[in-house]
Amino acid sequence: KPWRHRHFARTTAGGDDRMPMICCPRCPHKKELHKSQRSSWSCILCRPNRRCSACSGSIVGRKEAWSCKLCGYIACELCAATSIDAAMKSVPGPRSVAATKRPACRYGAMCYNSATDHVARFAHPGDRDFRYGSITLGKGQRADLRTLWDIFCYFDPEESGHMFKDAFMLAAQEVASLSQEYVDVGVAWSEARGSDHGQVSFVRFAIWCAGVGLRLPVGLDTIAGSRRCCRFTSAEGRICGCQDCTASAANSDERCRCGHRSHLHRSEAAQQTLQMQLLTSRPAHWMPSGIGLVRMTDAAVLSQLQFLLDATHLETDNWTRDRGCALHGVNRCANDCIFANRARVPTGYRLVAAWRNQNPALWARYSLMRATIGQQCSKKPCTPVNVESSLPAFDTLDSTNLARNINEFRLFHGSSHNACKDICENNFSLSLAGSGATWKVPGSSAGTSLYGPGFFL
């Protein structure tokens, strides 16, 4: 039943389940598919020896594919996600994605041609449409992908920040062709923990690539304010001497004053492999010889932390069900008894001691995820949200500046001493959600989190 495909699971303003008004990406007459033409799109799983009209990939092994009986257009699941779904979201009317495809420049990232007509005609790495299914490649031509971030973006045509299985498997094949070690593509999805989460983020993708021996630069600036040197190298081996990317008002295609694309400008951190980032990702204010939990002794920082506790403490209406019953404790009586005999809530907190978690591996993963979100917000800025724990004077606490452009906050997490130590060593685990001090059915080790599934900070 093709109408159960996830890209058509939408409703119109009237509330029924009609298919929205979309056009076939190829039909010359651009005829809209109305309710009476539902059969124009059909599942062709029974015809596997076909190739996708968008990417020329074989339909074999794909979960679903779609075809238009009016013109014979065929789309694999991934291309349907980018072309058909994009047409469904278009306002006021659908637009053909296939008609806007540009051929990829054969010189790739090292293209030296800055002519306006060339830039408009050909797609280059770093362009927003330089993605799988959105460009055309010549015979024998491959997409010029020089960093892990390039590969991830190329196979994330919807710019979702995640890769689902079909897209990830295509990326895994690309990684296998670039790696100097053998890559078992068949188990790649599970190795990247895609089977656990249903998708793969850039951080998990980068870790998987490092695990299979791919030694490409990460391609993301994990240190704010770093100089982005130009990485352009001419055919004769001449290297550009630009030491930092400076935008030129005369260029509309995001070029530096040196004449090369901003995409080619990367900091030393972005030019490192993931293995090197893990070794060198240490903030300057960390104690040089300290690994793990390091006790903080700076009186000024401890005073700021006490002020943070005082300023963010909610003095009224601060009882929640997980506080338990004053008579029976936590999870030892019915809800009626809990609400009738609420346990007392502290009126304030006094800081006794504080430790900084100096875990280079976790910090490197966090920095990489923060840089990923920063890239996404640079294209679609997020709405600023003010959280009291992250406003001045807490925005520069412990010599670390928060990235306000991506709504980076400082938050508290309450747990036991042993659980906090485990989090500092191994990070949070969603599998433990509901196992804390929340309400549980008698005899159960886990319950329903107070405000729903997830982490509570």
Side-chain angles (χ1 to χ4, degrees):
K1 295 183 179 180
W3 299 108
R4 293 186 180 180
H5 187 277
R6 64 185 180 90
H7 299 295
F8 293 99
R10 299 171 181 268
T11 59
T12 61
D16 58 25
D17 60 349
R18 297 177 187 174
M19 178 180 175
M21 304 283 282
I22 67 171
C23 294
C24 173
R26 176 175 288 182
C27 287
H29 42 72
K30 297 294 184 291
K31 190 171 183 179
E32 292 179 334
L33 302 177
H34 295 271
K35 179 180 179 181
S36 61
Q37 294 175 310
R38 287 188 177 186
S39 61
S40 295
W41 290 89
S42 61
C43 179
I44 58 170
L45 288 174
C46 57
R47 292 175 289 169
N49 298 321
R50 309 288 291 274
R51 290 191 173 274
C52 175
S53 301
C55 65
S56 299
S58 175
I59 303 297
V60 176
R62 305 294 180 86
K63 289 183 178 180
E64 297 174 276
W66 303 92
S67 66
C68 178
K69 292 182 178 179
L70 298 178
C71 66
Y73 179 87
I74 303 173
C76 66
E77 184 182 26
L78 181 62
C79 292
T82 57
S83 59
I84 301 172
D85 202 37
M88 294 171 72
K89 295 177 182 178
S90 61
V91 177
R95 184 181 64 172
S96 168
V97 175
T100 62
K101 284 186 180 181
R102 294 188 296 167
C105 175
R106 62 174 178 167
Y107 298 105
M110 295 302 169
C111 177
Y112 55 85
N113 193 339
S114 60
T116 304
D117 57 343
H118 176 82
V119 172
R121 181 181 176 186
F122 295 96
H124 298 79
D127 291 346
R128 195 164 185 177
D129 64 338
F130 193 83
R131 296 175 185 268
Y132 179 82
S134 299
I135 61 172
T136 59
L137 299 171
K139 186 177 181 180
Q141 184 183 9
R142 296 182 59 180
D144 188 7
L145 307 173
R146 296 172 178 262
T147 67
L148 299 182
W149 181 245
D150 286 347
I151 299 175
F152 185 84
C153 290
Y154 183 74
F155 291 104
D156 178 25
E158 294 186 26
E159 300 181 76
S160 65
H162 301 88
M163 283 194 296
F164 297 98
K165 187 171 184 179
D166 283 350
F168 176 83
M169 296 307 292
L170 293 172
Q173 294 175 11
E174 181 70 20
V175 171
S177 67
L178 296 173
S179 177
Q180 296 181 353
E181 300 180 15
Y182 171 73
V183 178
D184 188 350
V185 177
V187 299
W189 178 247
S190 59
E191 288 180 345
R193 300 183 63 187
S195 54
D196 297 336
H197 302 277
Q199 43 78 19
V200 172
S201 66
F202 175 66
V203 174
R204 289 199 296 270
F205 174 73
I207 293 174
W208 173 77
C209 288
V212 297
L214 187 61
R215 301 292 186 264
L216 287 181
V218 173
L220 281 182
D221 295 313
T222 55
I223 303 176
S226 301
R227 292 193 308 168
R228 297 168 54 202
C229 301
C230 185
R231 308 294 171 177
F232 178 86
T233 304
S234 67
E236 297 79 19
R238 187 171 64 254
I239 300 175
C240 179
C242 176
Q243 295 299 308
D244 198 4
C245 183
T246 306
S248 173
N251 294 319
S252 59
D253 59 332
E254 298 184 355
R255 287 180 180 268
C256 174
R257 291 185 183 276
C258 68
H260 303 131
R261 293 174 171 271
S262 61
H263 177 74
L264 275 176
H265 293 72
R266 292 188 291 272
S267 67
E268 292 300 324
Q271 196 66 8
Q272 291 178 332
T273 62
L274 184 64
Q275 292 87 340
M276 286 301 300
Q277 282 196 0
L278 291 174
L279 292 174
T280 60
S281 180
R282 295 175 61 92
H285 66 283
W286 280 13
M287 291 184 61
S289 58
I291 295 294
L293 293 175
V294 177
R295 185 156 184 167
M296 302 174 68
T297 58
D298 190 326
V301 176
L302 295 176
S303 176
Q304 277 189 310
L305 289 173
Q306 179 63 63
F307 181 36
L308 178 62
L309 289 171
D310 296 338
T312 59
H313 175 64
L314 184 63
E315 297 181 353
T316 59
D317 194 22
N318 56 7
W319 182 89
T320 52
R321 185 179 58 184
D322 56 335
R323 294 282 183 179
C325 174
L327 301 178
H328 306 98
V330 180
N331 297 326
R332 294 181 179 177
C333 57
N335 279 342
D336 293 342
C337 184
I338 295 176
F339 281 92
N341 304 283
R342 299 181 177 185
R344 294 181 60 188
V345 179
T347 58
Y349 299 92
R350 179 175 62 87
L351 183 71
V352 177
W355 286 262
R356 180 192 299 119
N357 186 30
Q358 297 190 173
N359 188 321
L362 288 186
W363 180 257
R365 291 189 61 170
Y366 177 79
S367 300
L368 196 56
M369 180 59 74
R370 181 174 56 183
T372 303
I373 297 173
Q375 284 288 325
Q376 296 169 347
C377 290
S378 66
K379 298 175 182 177
K380 185 180 180 181
C382 61
T383 302
V385 177
N386 292 324
V387 176
E388 192 169 1
S389 62
S390 304
L391 295 175
F394 309 125
D395 56 338
T396 59
L397 184 64
D398 195 26
S399 303
T400 55
N401 296 319
L402 297 176
R404 297 303 304 275
N405 62 310
I406 62 171
N407 284 332
E408 184 181 22
F409 306 137
R410 302 189 194 280
L411 302 170
F412 289 107
H413 176 69
S415 190
S416 66
H417 180 265
N418 289 334
C420 287
K421 289 180 64 177
D422 187 64
I423 291 171
C424 290
E425 292 176 5
N426 305 305
N427 209 347
F428 288 95
S429 175
L430 271 174
S431 63
L432 297 177
S435 63
T438 189
W439 183 84
K440 304 178 181 69
V441 175
S444 176
S445 61
T448 303
S449 300
L450 190 62
Y451 301 106
F455 301 127
F456 294 92
L457 304 169

